[in-house]
Amino acid sequence: MKLLTVAIPCYNSQDYMEHAVETVLVGGEDVEILLVDDGSTDDTAKIADRLQEQHPTIVKVIHQKNGGHGCAVNTGLERASGIYYKVLDSDDWFDRAAFLKVLDVLRHFVEDGRGVDMFIANYVYEKPSLRKHKAIRYDGVFPEEKVFTWNDVKRFKISQNILMHSVIYRTKILRDCGLELPKHTFYVDNIFVYNPLPSVKTMYYMNVDLYRYFIGRDDQSVNEKVMMGRIDQQLKVTKLMIDAHDLTKIKNKKLRDYMVKYLTMMMTVSSVFLIKEGSEESLAKREDLWAYLKAQNKAMYRMVNKMALSKPMQFRGKAGRKIVVWGYSLSQKIYGFN
């Protein structure tokens, strides 16, 4: 059994996947790298097979018909032999020094017979086109370098969401909670990190900048134009998250508050892009999204509606919609996303 499985979904990733793999290989035999070739049509499959031949005890290749990012993550989880499970997108990479520190802590957990359900580290937005690096850190939110529970968590800032980039889950947690991401759907990383949270009892935070999140390709799923073109998939993911948990039944207040915050963020992002598109059809979809939340769970709707971020999202007038777009543009400049 390996200490950590790193699943790398690959679709037409020939130009950058090797860099991702190289940053994981520093972990040596403690690491299993699963290259999930999701029906690529370029040289991704050949590169993956070569990497497996070069590192047969570390790299394993899985070729499958195209099912989308979520399907590749599912496949990785099914085939993982690691005690812990991490997803690394093929155009992103790890900081090598930080990765070795993380592995050292995970190794000590196993040697001591302990372990945590979720390990958290920082991630960094890498935007070479603007020579911009923006680290998202959780100091001040989580106790550092000690095992803790939700009761020990402090207040999150707007930018401090726990994302797929920042988490390493215990593999058993993901399997036991029945995590399965939808096929042929973008933005499922939100489901990956949100749905298992009620199963997480113990956590550990290391204040290192582990994950380097590349921003800037024109075809990237988080590119603003691409997101607006795929808004129906964003709406699908948001509705699946609404359906996943009745947040009113989560007893731990700090966990409940965080999940309400995260769901509010998803509602906000969807609403902003629909407002920016501006057509009657898009504005109707925004109305439908909020109506869906209200119909599914009125108490959850009230919880989300109390959040400061959510209130402008339901403005109906042109002036209100301009305020929303201005606020989003300001957030882009501050946090460096998209």
Side-chain angles (χ1 to χ4, degrees), residues 2-3 30 83-84 102-116 170:
K2 295 280 188 173
L3 175 64
D30 280 337
I83 298 171
Y84 292 93
V102 168
L103 288 175
D104 189 52
V105 173
L106 294 178
R107 193 179 302 111
H108 283 303
F109 280 148
V110 174
E111 291 172 354
D112 294 345
R114 298 183 299 156
V116 293
R170 190 200 299 265

Side-chain angles (χ1 to χ4, degrees), residues 107-136:
R107 193 179 302 111
H108 283 303
F109 280 148
V110 174
E111 291 172 354
D112 294 345
R114 298 183 299 156
V116 293
D117 298 330
M118 184 169 71
F119 185 104
I120 304 148
N122 309 324
Y123 67 95
V124 181
Y125 286 108
E126 296 281 359
K127 199 164 186 179
S129 61
L130 298 179
R131 297 182 181 178
K132 192 169 185 178
H133 310 270
K134 176 67 178 179
I136 303 299

